[in-house]
Protein backbone atom coordinates (compact mmCIF):
# COMPACT_ATOMS: atom_id res chain seq x y z
CA UNK A 1 0.00 0.00 0.00
CA UNK A 2 1.52 3.29 -1.11
CA UNK A 3 4.86 1.73 -2.01
CA UNK A 4 5.35 3.90 -5.12
CA UNK A 5 3.64 7.04 -3.86
CA UNK A 6 5.81 9.94 -2.81
CA UNK A 7 4.67 11.15 0.58
CA UNK A 8 2.12 8.38 1.15
CA UNK A 9 1.73 7.26 4.76
CA UNK A 10 3.18 3.86 5.56
CA UNK A 11 0.11 1.78 6.36
CA UNK A 12 1.99 -1.44 6.85
CA UNK A 13 2.35 -3.15 10.19
CA UNK A 14 0.06 -1.91 12.92
CA UNK A 15 -1.09 1.25 11.11
CA UNK A 16 -4.41 0.72 9.34
CA UNK A 17 -5.76 2.74 6.43
CA UNK A 18 -8.10 4.54 8.82
CA UNK A 19 -5.20 5.26 11.18
CA UNK A 20 -3.26 6.81 8.31
CA UNK A 21 -6.24 8.89 7.19
CA UNK A 22 -6.86 10.33 10.65
CA UNK A 23 -3.19 10.66 11.64
CA UNK A 24 -1.63 12.02 8.45
CA UNK A 25 -4.81 13.50 6.96
CA UNK A 26 -4.69 11.27 3.87
CA UNK A 27 -4.13 7.73 2.65
CA UNK A 28 -3.69 6.08 -0.76
CA UNK A 29 -5.44 2.84 -1.76
CA UNK A 30 -3.43 1.53 -4.69
CA UNK A 31 -5.18 -0.20 -7.61
CA UNK A 32 -8.58 -0.32 -5.93
CA UNK A 33 -10.03 -0.54 -9.46
CA UNK A 34 -8.95 -2.94 -12.19
CA UNK A 35 -8.00 -1.91 -15.71
CA UNK A 36 -11.41 -2.96 -17.10
CA UNK A 37 -13.20 -0.83 -14.51
CA UNK A 38 -11.04 2.17 -15.34
CA UNK A 39 -11.67 1.67 -19.05
CA UNK A 40 -15.44 1.49 -18.52
CA UNK A 41 -15.47 4.69 -16.49
CA UNK A 42 -13.39 6.54 -19.08
CA UNK A 43 -15.69 5.37 -21.87
CA UNK A 44 -18.79 6.56 -19.98
CA UNK A 45 -17.16 9.91 -19.30
CA UNK A 46 -15.82 10.56 -22.82
CA UNK A 47 -18.97 12.04 -24.46
CA UNK A 48 -19.51 14.39 -21.52
CA UNK A 49 -15.91 15.59 -21.61
CA UNK A 50 -16.19 16.19 -25.35
CA UNK A 51 -19.10 18.62 -24.84
CA UNK A 52 -17.68 20.39 -21.76
CA UNK A 53 -15.84 23.72 -22.12
CA UNK A 54 -12.64 24.52 -20.29
CA UNK A 55 -12.74 26.07 -16.84
CA UNK A 56 -14.09 29.51 -16.04
CA UNK A 57 -11.27 30.52 -13.69
CA UNK A 58 -7.86 29.41 -12.47
CA UNK A 59 -9.34 27.25 -9.73
CA UNK A 60 -11.34 25.17 -12.23
CA UNK A 61 -8.38 25.32 -14.61
CA UNK A 62 -8.32 27.44 -17.77
CA UNK A 63 -6.87 24.50 -19.70
CA UNK A 64 -8.96 21.86 -17.96
CA UNK A 65 -12.49 20.48 -18.12
CA UNK A 66 -14.78 19.57 -15.23
CA UNK A 67 -17.89 17.41 -15.54
CA UNK A 68 -20.26 17.83 -12.61
CA UNK A 69 -23.27 15.83 -11.33
CA UNK A 70 -21.73 12.52 -12.38
CA UNK A 71 -24.35 10.31 -10.72
CA UNK A 72 -26.88 11.75 -13.17
CA UNK A 73 -24.71 10.79 -16.15
CA UNK A 74 -24.24 7.00 -15.94
CA UNK A 75 -24.74 4.10 -13.52
CA UNK A 76 -21.00 3.48 -13.44
CA UNK A 77 -20.52 6.68 -11.44
CA UNK A 78 -23.11 5.62 -8.85
CA UNK A 79 -21.06 2.45 -8.41
CA UNK A 80 -17.88 4.49 -8.02
CA UNK A 81 -19.21 6.85 -5.34
CA UNK A 82 -20.41 3.83 -3.34
CA UNK A 83 -17.15 1.86 -3.67
CA UNK A 84 -16.91 -0.39 -0.63
CA UNK A 85 -13.32 0.37 0.37
CA UNK A 86 -13.91 4.10 0.17
CA UNK A 87 -17.14 4.03 2.17
CA UNK A 88 -15.58 1.81 4.83
CA UNK A 89 -13.11 4.61 5.52
CA UNK A 90 -15.75 7.34 5.36
CA UNK A 91 -17.78 5.27 7.86
CA UNK A 92 -14.87 5.61 10.27
CA UNK A 93 -14.78 9.42 10.10
CA UNK A 94 -18.30 10.77 9.50
CA UNK A 95 -21.57 10.19 11.34
CA UNK A 96 -24.09 7.64 10.03
CA UNK A 97 -26.34 8.88 7.21
CA UNK A 98 -23.56 11.04 5.72
CA UNK A 99 -24.14 12.48 2.27
CA UNK A 100 -22.47 12.70 -1.11
CA UNK A 101 -21.45 16.35 -1.27
CA UNK A 102 -20.02 16.41 -4.80
CA UNK A 103 -19.06 14.07 -7.63
CA UNK A 104 -17.13 15.47 -10.55
CA UNK A 105 -14.49 14.60 -13.10
CA UNK A 106 -11.37 16.73 -13.58
CA UNK A 107 -9.63 16.52 -16.96
CA UNK A 108 -6.38 18.38 -16.25
CA UNK A 109 -5.16 19.67 -19.60
CA UNK A 110 -1.57 19.88 -20.83
CA UNK A 111 0.14 23.02 -19.61
CA UNK A 112 -2.31 23.54 -16.74
CA UNK A 113 -0.99 25.57 -13.82
CA UNK A 114 -0.99 24.33 -10.25
CA UNK A 115 -4.08 25.25 -8.23
CA UNK A 116 -3.85 27.40 -5.15
CA UNK A 117 -3.73 25.39 -1.94
CA UNK A 118 -7.14 24.96 -0.33
CA UNK A 119 -9.10 22.58 1.87
CA UNK A 120 -12.45 21.10 0.82
CA UNK A 121 -14.17 22.01 4.10
CA UNK A 122 -13.56 25.67 3.34
CA UNK A 123 -17.24 26.29 2.56
CA UNK A 124 -18.12 25.51 6.18
CA UNK A 125 -17.23 28.67 8.08
CA UNK A 126 -16.28 26.95 11.32
CA UNK A 127 -13.05 28.07 13.03
CA UNK A 128 -10.07 25.74 12.85
CA UNK A 129 -8.64 23.58 14.32
CA UNK A 130 -11.69 21.33 14.29
CA UNK A 131 -12.85 17.90 13.17
CA UNK A 132 -13.44 17.48 9.46
CA UNK A 133 -16.95 18.05 8.14
CA UNK A 134 -16.15 16.01 5.03
CA UNK A 135 -13.93 13.39 3.44
CA UNK A 136 -12.73 13.61 -0.17
CA UNK A 137 -11.54 10.95 -2.58
CA UNK A 138 -9.65 11.45 -5.84
CA UNK A 139 -9.67 8.48 -8.21
CA UNK A 140 -6.79 8.32 -10.70
CA UNK A 141 -8.07 7.27 -14.14
CA UNK A 142 -4.62 7.94 -15.57
CA UNK A 143 -1.34 7.38 -13.77
CA UNK A 144 -0.66 10.33 -11.45
CA UNK A 145 2.94 11.45 -11.94
CA UNK A 146 5.09 14.25 -10.61
CA UNK A 147 4.93 15.89 -14.05
CA UNK A 148 1.26 15.55 -15.05
CA UNK A 149 -0.41 17.25 -12.10
CA UNK A 150 -0.55 14.68 -9.32
CA UNK A 151 -2.48 15.92 -6.31
CA UNK A 152 -0.26 17.67 -3.77
CA UNK A 153 -1.06 17.33 -0.06
CA UNK A 154 0.46 18.64 3.15
CA UNK A 155 0.62 15.81 5.71
CA UNK A 156 -0.72 16.80 9.11
CA UNK A 157 -2.29 20.02 7.84
CA UNK A 158 -5.74 18.79 8.89
CA UNK A 159 -4.74 19.80 12.43
CA UNK A 160 -3.79 23.36 11.55
CA UNK A 161 -5.57 26.37 12.96
CA UNK A 162 -5.14 29.68 11.10
CA UNK A 163 -1.89 28.64 9.40
CA UNK A 164 -1.90 28.82 5.60
CA UNK A 165 0.63 27.20 3.24
CA UNK A 166 2.79 29.21 0.88
CA UNK A 167 2.55 28.46 -2.88
CA UNK A 168 5.88 26.61 -2.71
CA UNK A 169 5.42 25.10 0.74
CA UNK A 170 8.28 22.61 1.26
CA UNK A 171 6.04 20.31 3.33
CA UNK A 172 3.78 19.45 0.37
CA UNK A 173 3.96 15.97 -1.14
CA UNK A 174 2.99 14.84 -4.64
CA UNK A 175 0.70 11.81 -4.52
CA UNK A 176 1.99 9.74 -7.42
CA UNK A 177 -0.06 6.59 -7.98
CA UNK A 178 -1.06 4.22 -10.79
CA UNK A 179 -4.40 4.41 -12.58
CA UNK A 180 -7.17 2.74 -10.58
CA UNK A 181 -5.83 4.06 -7.29
CA UNK A 182 -7.58 6.51 -5.00
CA UNK A 183 -6.23 9.03 -2.52
CA UNK A 184 -8.56 9.87 0.35
CA UNK A 185 -8.12 12.87 2.62
CA UNK A 186 -9.96 14.75 5.33
CA UNK A 187 -11.87 17.88 4.40
CA UNK A 188 -9.51 19.92 6.59
CA UNK A 189 -6.35 18.75 4.77
CA UNK A 190 -4.64 21.42 2.66
CA UNK A 191 -4.07 20.27 -0.93
CA UNK A 192 -4.12 21.30 -4.58
CA UNK A 193 -4.01 19.93 -8.09
CA UNK A 194 -0.45 20.04 -9.36
CA UNK A 195 0.81 21.60 -12.58
CA UNK A 196 0.63 19.47 -15.72
CA UNK A 197 3.92 20.08 -17.54
CA UNK A 198 3.37 17.21 -20.00
CA UNK A 199 1.70 17.16 -23.43
CA UNK A 200 -1.06 14.78 -22.29
CA UNK A 201 -4.11 15.30 -20.04
CA UNK A 202 -4.52 13.75 -16.61
CA UNK A 203 -7.99 12.45 -15.74
CA UNK A 204 -9.49 12.01 -12.26
CA UNK A 205 -12.87 11.70 -10.56
CA UNK A 206 -13.45 13.17 -7.12
CA UNK A 207 -16.41 12.14 -4.96
CA UNK A 208 -16.69 14.15 -1.76
CA UNK A 209 -18.74 13.21 1.31
CA UNK A 210 -20.06 15.36 4.16
CA UNK A 211 -21.70 15.04 7.55
CA UNK A 212 -25.45 14.33 7.42
CA UNK A 213 -26.21 17.75 8.96
CA UNK A 214 -24.07 19.74 6.49
CA UNK A 215 -25.16 21.30 3.21
CA UNK A 216 -23.85 19.49 0.12
CA UNK A 217 -21.64 21.36 -2.35
CA UNK A 218 -23.73 20.03 -5.24
CA UNK A 219 -27.49 20.18 -4.74
CA UNK A 220 -27.98 16.47 -5.38
CA UNK A 221 -31.78 16.61 -5.18
CA UNK A 222 -31.75 18.87 -8.25
CA UNK A 223 -28.58 17.58 -9.95
CA UNK A 224 -29.81 13.96 -10.11
CA UNK A 225 -33.35 13.54 -11.53
CA UNK A 226 -35.73 11.50 -9.41
CA UNK A 227 -36.14 8.80 -12.06
CA UNK A 228 -32.35 8.33 -12.10
CA UNK A 229 -32.17 8.25 -8.31
CA UNK A 230 -34.96 5.65 -8.26
CA UNK A 231 -32.75 3.25 -10.21
CA UNK A 232 -29.80 3.62 -7.82
CA UNK A 233 -29.06 1.31 -4.94
CA UNK A 234 -30.47 2.25 -1.55
CA UNK A 235 -26.97 3.12 -0.40
CA UNK A 236 -26.56 5.61 -3.24
CA UNK A 237 -30.07 6.96 -2.68
CA UNK A 238 -29.10 7.66 0.92
CA UNK A 239 -25.90 9.39 -0.19
CA UNK A 240 -27.95 11.63 -2.50
CA UNK A 241 -30.19 12.67 0.39
CA UNK A 242 -33.10 10.22 0.25
CA UNK A 243 -32.63 9.42 3.90
CA UNK A 244 -33.34 10.81 7.35
CA UNK A 245 -30.75 11.87 9.89
CA UNK A 246 -32.73 11.02 13.03
CA UNK A 247 -34.86 12.26 14.44
CA UNK A 248 -36.16 14.61 11.72
CA UNK A 249 -33.53 16.05 9.39
CA UNK A 250 -34.36 15.55 5.71
CA UNK A 251 -38.11 14.90 5.79
CA UNK A 252 -40.51 15.87 2.97
CA UNK A 253 -44.06 16.80 4.01
CA UNK A 254 -43.23 15.27 7.38
CA UNK A 255 -42.37 11.91 5.78
CA UNK A 256 -39.28 9.97 4.72
CA UNK A 257 -37.98 11.31 1.35
CA UNK A 258 -37.50 7.79 -0.06
CA UNK A 259 -41.28 7.70 -0.53
CA UNK A 260 -40.76 10.02 -3.49
CA UNK A 261 -38.79 7.46 -5.49
CA UNK A 262 -39.63 4.03 -4.01
CA UNK A 263 -43.21 2.79 -4.50
CA UNK A 264 -42.39 -0.12 -2.20
CA UNK A 265 -41.20 2.08 0.65
CA UNK A 266 -43.99 0.78 2.90
CA UNK A 267 -42.47 -2.70 2.77
CA UNK A 268 -39.09 -1.57 4.08
CA UNK A 269 -37.75 -2.31 7.52
CA UNK A 270 -37.97 1.32 8.63
CA UNK A 271 -35.12 1.44 11.11
CA UNK A 272 -34.76 5.23 10.83
CA UNK A 273 -38.41 5.75 11.77
CA UNK A 274 -38.00 3.65 14.91
CA UNK A 275 -34.84 5.51 15.89
CA UNK A 276 -36.58 8.84 15.33
CA UNK A 277 -39.52 7.81 17.52
CA UNK A 278 -37.17 6.67 20.30
CA UNK A 279 -35.20 9.92 20.19
CA UNK A 280 -38.32 12.05 20.27
CA UNK A 281 -39.70 10.09 23.18
CA UNK A 282 -36.46 10.50 25.13
CA UNK A 283 -36.56 14.28 24.63
CA UNK A 284 -39.79 14.61 26.61
Amino acid sequence: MGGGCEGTPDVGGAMTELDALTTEGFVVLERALGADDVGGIKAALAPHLASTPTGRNRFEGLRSRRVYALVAKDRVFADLVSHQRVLELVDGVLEPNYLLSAALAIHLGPGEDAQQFHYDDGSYHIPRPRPAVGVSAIWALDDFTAANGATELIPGSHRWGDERPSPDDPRSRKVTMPAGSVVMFLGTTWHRGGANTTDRPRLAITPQYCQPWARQLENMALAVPQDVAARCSRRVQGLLGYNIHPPLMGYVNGLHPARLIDPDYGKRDRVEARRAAEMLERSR
Side-chain angles (χ1 to χ4, degrees):
M1 180 68 61
C5 300
E6 179 185 344
T8 303
D10 177 8
V11 295
M15 179 171 277
T16 67
E17 293 166 350
L18 182 59
D19 289 335
L21 178 61
T22 56
T23 301
E24 298 293 326
F26 75 104
V27 67
V28 172
L29 313 182
E30 283 201 3
R31 295 186 172 88
L33 294 175
D36 290 345
D37 294 323
V38 171
I41 292 169
K42 294 177 84 168
L45 189 58
H48 303 289
L49 280 172
S51 61
T52 298
T54 52
R56 296 161 290 188
N57 49 58
R58 289 189 62 196
F59 185 85
E60 285 191 322
L62 298 175
R63 298 179 180 86
S64 299
R65 293 178 169 84
R66 293 184 174 222
V67 180
Y68 295 97
L70 287 182
V71 176
K73 305 293 194 289
D74 193 282
R75 175 60 183 268
V76 71
F77 302 118
D79 293 339
L80 188 64
V81 303
S82 57
H83 191 280
Q84 181 179 352
R85 289 187 67 189
V86 166
L87 294 192
E88 284 175 350
L89 287 176
V90 183
D91 287 345
V93 176
L94 302 182
E95 296 174 32
N97 309 305
Y98 57 80
L99 300 167
L100 180 68
S101 183
L104 60 146
I106 302 175
H107 183 270
L108 200 73
E112 185 60 84
D113 295 329
Q115 272 185 319
Q116 61 266 45
F117 277 110
H118 62 283
Y119 59 97
D120 286 346
D121 272 9
S123 295
Y124 305 113
H125 300 160
I126 307 171
R128 297 174 57 121
R130 57 168 171 79
V133 177
V135 178
S136 296
I138 297 179
W139 287 95
L141 299 185
D142 295 314
D143 292 345
F144 274 32
T145 71
N148 74 357
T151 301
E152 299 175 14
L153 293 151
I154 302 181
S157 60
H158 60 299
R159 297 194 184 91
W160 291 2
D162 294 333
E163 183 177 0
R164 302 179 68 88
S166 64
D168 57 351
D169 199 298
R171 295 167 293 183
S172 69
R173 298 290 183 268
K174 295 180 185 292
V175 183
T176 58
M177 55 185 178
S181 304
V182 58
V183 57
M184 297 184 62
F185 50 94
L186 300 179
T188 44
T189 300
W190 286 88
H191 67 283
R192 68 181 178 186
N196 186 353
T197 60
T198 73
D199 59 359
R200 298 176 64 84
R202 185 227 72 187
L203 184 58
I205 286 178
T206 175
Q208 300 174 19
Y209 309 85
C210 68
Q211 294 283 22
W213 42 263
R215 184 168 184 173
Q216 295 151 288
L217 290 174
E218 288 193 273
N219 189 325
M220 293 295 173
L222 296 178
V224 181
Q226 286 188 3
D227 63 318
V228 175
R231 296 193 296 271
C232 292
S233 69
R234 286 190 185 176
R235 187 70 195 267
V236 173
Q237 290 173 357
L239 289 171
L240 295 175
Y242 292 93
N243 66 5
I244 290 287
H245 185 50
L248 298 172
M249 193 173 288
Y251 67 78
V252 176
N253 271 338
L255 300 173
H256 197 290
R259 292 175 182 272
L260 297 173
I261 59 172
D262 183 3
D264 295 323
Y265 173 80
K267 300 176 184 177
R268 287 190 184 186
D269 179 12
R270 284 171 279 180
V271 177
E272 290 172 329
R274 292 197 298 273
R275 285 192 62 208
E278 292 169 0
M279 293 174 73
L280 291 170
E281 285 295 321
R282 287 201 301 269
S283 67
R284 289 186 178 181

